[in-house]
Amino acid sequence: MSTATYLTRVPTQRPPVARQPIWTTTGALLGHEYLYRSRVGRPAGVDLWRAERQDVASASVLRSLFEETGRAADSETLVFVNVTRSFLVRDRPLPAHLGRLVLEIVESVPGDEGVVLGLRRLRARGYRIAIDDFTATSDQVAMLPYADFVKIDCRDLLEQGARLLEIGRSCGAQLIAERVETPELVAHCAKLGFGLLQGDALGPAMTMPLL
């Protein structure tokens, strides 16, 4: 085994974080989504984990950005981080947001009374809210009045199209097209009226070096 191969397998004390840019259709950088990675820097399939493990992954990313490395303090753009129900209902703490933290609500979060009250409270405190993987479920629609951003996977546009865009915009949120993988999709999403784009065609998720 080469030295390089060995080093990629050595576990680190803190799991690394990847980030992927989010751009306006006019070429301005809005911010980055920061993503949990395995200890060797690979995608970990967090969306398939049970809620308790997802809580830990979100807490790890937030701690890395706002407490340990100070990366968020060095950024002047928005910081998108996936969060679970626990962060919305005060079961888990959130860092001081610096006016730039966007709480990206994963699709498994229910739109129950506790969550809706939490969103109202967090918006009042200056946090911004994004709804991830929006497919217009009843839970997601219940959260729409509190959303600053609605993220729509390009694959879901094939099934729901204009209806999904209309509902996503209905409360004034900005739409972000996700999984924009090709130049053709960049042009298509801009034509549909998306103002914000995220995907490999504009910049892949890159694991950041540990500090």
Side-chain angles (χ1 to χ4, degrees), residues 108-170:
S108 59
V109 174
D112 58 36
E113 182 179 0
V115 165
V116 170
L117 289 174
L119 293 177
R120 185 181 304 162
R121 172 179 53 83
L122 291 166
R123 281 288 301 273
R125 290 176 56 194
Y127 290 92
R128 305 191 202 195
I129 305 297
I131 301 176
D132 193 23
D133 289 326
F134 184 77
T135 55
T137 66
S138 58
D139 287 314
Q140 292 175 326
V141 170
M143 302 178 202
L144 268 181
Y146 309 98
D148 299 281
F149 304 97
V150 168
K151 302 183 78 171
I152 298 176
D153 191 313
C154 284
R155 296 171 298 183
D156 293 319
L157 288 174
L158 298 176
E159 297 182 10
Q160 300 193 50
R163 171 184 172 273
L164 198 56
L165 300 179
E166 181 179 354
I167 297 173
R169 291 192 181 104
S170 63

Side-chain angles (χ1 to χ4, degrees), residues 16-148:
V17 174
R19 71 176 188 176
Q20 185 170 38
I22 301 171
W23 298 91
T24 70
T25 52
T26 59
L29 180 64
L30 175 75
H32 293 86
E33 179 179 357
Y34 290 82
L35 301 155
Y36 180 89
R37 287 295 184 254
S38 73
R39 294 190 180 278
V40 292
R42 303 292 299 169
V46 176
D47 56 332
L48 301 177
W49 293 359
R50 65 181 187 275
E52 294 81 1
R53 289 189 67 199
Q54 289 189 20
D55 290 348
V56 173
S58 292
S60 174
V61 173
L62 289 168
R63 185 169 58 251
S64 176
L65 293 174
F66 288 90
E67 297 176 17
E68 295 177 355
T69 68
R71 291 183 193 274
D74 294 335
S75 172
E76 296 182 356
T77 56
L78 296 182
V79 175
F80 287 71
V81 178
N82 291 330
V83 297
T84 52
R85 184 181 187 277
S86 296
F87 294 90
L88 307 179
V89 298
R90 294 179 170 171
D91 287 345
R92 282 183 173 265
L94 287 166
H97 52 81
L98 305 175
R100 297 194 306 279
L101 176 57
V102 183
L103 305 175
E104 189 166 323
I105 305 170
V106 297
E107 60 271 27
S108 59
V109 174
D112 58 36
E113 182 179 0
V115 165
V116 170
L117 289 174
L119 293 177
R120 185 181 304 162
R121 172 179 53 83
L122 291 166
R123 281 288 301 273
R125 290 176 56 194
Y127 290 92
R128 305 191 202 195
I129 305 297
I131 301 176
D132 193 23
D133 289 326
F134 184 77
T135 55
T137 66
S138 58
D139 287 314
Q140 292 175 326
V141 170
M143 302 178 202
L144 268 181
Y146 309 98
D148 299 281

